[in-house]
Amino acid sequence: MGWMMETYKGKKRQHYLEKHSISHLFSFPIEEFVEVREYKRDEWIIREGMRPDYLYYVIEGKAKIYVTYQNGKVSLINFINAHDYIGEMELLHEVYYTKGIQASAKTVCFAVPLHHYRKKLLEDTTFLRELTKFLSVKATKMAEKYSQGLSFPLENRLADFILQTADGDMYKEKHVTVCDFLGVSYRHLLHVLVQFCEKGYLHKEGRHYHIRQTDELHRLADVLKNGLEPGS
Amino acid sequence: MGWMMETYKGKKRQHYLEKHSISHLFSFPIEEFVEVREYKRDEWIIREGMRPDYLYYVIEGKAKIYVTYQNGKVSLINFINAHDYIGEMELLHEVYYTKGIQASAKTVCFAVPLHHYRKKLLEDTTFLRELTKFLSVKATKMAEKYSQGLSFPLENRLADFILQTADGDMYKEKHVTVCDFLGVSYRHLLHVLVQFCEKGYLHKEGRHYHIRQTDELHRLADVLKNGLEPGS
DNA sequence: CCCAAAATATGAGATATCTCATATTATTGT
DNA sequence: ACAATAATATGAGATATCTCATATTTTGGG
């Protein structure tokens, strides 16, 4: 289990700080003590149950949030992408059960040391406003997912997931990850995928799937879009 | 559909402002332009799709957040209780599809006029920090509900719900509301409740249920508690 | 290059959950 | 007090989804 997270130094660090400046997210200079870190695929950025000493801001890459239940079942809760914060719960709350966060691709993030900045962060309007926006979006998305997840069969949620994660017209996600994320059994996921192929929505090519009828998938996915768009 | 929301004036208003002071939530005096409103059971505090002009802070009562899907199905997303904010999404984001919020009991709340305070609120550290805490808790709860909802059968979620909403050792929630909240059909909810009675966990008395074996319900509900408690 | 582990596949039977049909009570408005 | 509407109940058949068993293929490490 080598957890050899790499910290960029010198020129490389400087390059990231400049190219992906986060100074607009704070009203005070923060770069001096910020670490630039790279996590490799499958490395744990935060281990479940362990309080982190840093607030992270993701620059590039992709990670997954996991939680382990008492019965041993591990569940994928959400994805983390560029421009997301990690560890904000621990910054805000004294007690909080930390979830596990694992990089699913090479992930670069800024690590803001809390022992140094905690107080300043909690008094910084600019930072708090940004964080509040981030959290409100997160809360809304989770709320939507929740009601969607409970209200519709896999057929609809999978169609949506395929459209959201497709690489061009190819769907390439790993089944194991997906059935974890969508909370269904591997068997059933395959079953619905086969149906999609039989109906001609998808065509299996090797271990990937070619999207043949985007419109039909949209029809299925649209069922879980709520309400009207703002402005109507 | 009389929507005769009542606004307290004079002495009554003053009484609420003093007894449930919210001055600690802001670093500037806010009471001058705050309205104290009372919504009766089933009144809409915010109508779905309509942007509110106020930020609300609930003092007493209980409300429900609803969303309507394109297929016409209405889904209960969450409850709102005392000390919750309403309308924070609209304060933070220019575009946002507003969900419907309906009082499920007499509900008193403070209404902060945005046209007057919007700018000040977004620059107030104290307010933003409070709101951030509120939102982070909300986001976490939704995330937990989401993964729970997807991962466990109704038996477990219902046990948890019963324990959480029980009034002493009596469970009194309305079935219609519950099956909406838990995202299951009325038929199935009844089916599982009957099972609980047959197993002796509950005993039906009129339209309420007497909890007879808390331990057994806890055993079912504990399955969806994640991880270890902080500090272990 | 080989092995063990992970990921992919597929079948069959068991459950969980839904839909629809239909009655019987509350509740509410007038 | 009455009619309309909502909430509660219950049965029966249809689906969605799960569990388990088992086989094949891919992948990563030594």
Side-chain angles (χ1 to χ4, degrees), chain A residues 136-147:
Chain A
S136 67
V137 170
K138 188 169 169 178
T140 305
K141 276 194 186 152
M142 288 318 292
E144 276 168 9
K145 260 195 195 142
Y146 172 64
S147 58

Side-chain angles (χ1 to χ4, degrees), chain B residues 62-163:
Chain B
K62 201 171 187 178
K64 296 171 190 165
I65 308 176
Y66 287 102
V67 76
T68 306
Y69 291 95
Q70 288 190 335
N71 61 7
K73 177 166 183 175
V74 176
S75 187
L76 172 60
I77 297 199
N78 214 346
F79 292 111
I80 286 179
N81 295 293
H83 311 301
D84 284 354
Y85 292 89
I86 301 178
E88 76 289 348
M89 296 297 176
E90 293 79 2
L91 167 66
L92 295 164
H93 300 277
E94 287 307 319
V95 289
Y96 173 71
Y97 179 75
T98 300
K99 296 176 174 43
I101 300 191
Q102 184 183 39
S104 56
K106 175 190 146 187
T107 298
V108 180
C109 52
F110 294 154
V112 180
L114 293 182
H115 63 93
H116 201 284
Y117 285 122
R118 182 187 192 104
K119 197 162 185 184
K120 242 177 173 172
L121 287 173
L122 291 177
E123 284 169 357
D124 183 15
T125 313
T126 310
F127 166 71
L128 287 174
R129 197 160 50 220
E130 286 302 319
L131 183 55
T132 307
K133 275 192 191 176
F134 167 73
L135 286 173
S136 67
V137 169
K138 189 169 168 177
T140 305
K141 275 194 187 154
M142 289 316 293
E144 277 168 9
K145 261 196 195 142
Y146 173 63
S147 58
Q148 284 170 17
L150 291 175
S151 301
F152 300 98
L154 179 61
E155 189 179 44
N156 300 98
R157 291 180 287 135
L158 180 59
D160 185 56
F161 184 84
I162 289 174
L163 293 172

Side-chain angles (χ1 to χ4, degrees), chain A residues 9-40:
Chain A
K9 302 285 184 187
K11 214 179 290 180
K12 197 167 185 184
R13 170 175 182 277
Q14 211 50 41
H15 171 259
Y16 266 90
L17 284 174
E18 281 162 18
K19 185 155 184 185
H20 305 276
S21 173
I22 53 168
S23 55
H24 64 286
L25 300 178
F26 309 87
S27 61
F28 60 92
I30 196 163
E31 309 206 328
E32 184 175 1
F33 296 102
V34 162
E35 293 180 21
V36 182
R37 295 182 176 180
E38 175 190 311
Y39 291 87
K40 300 211 172 31

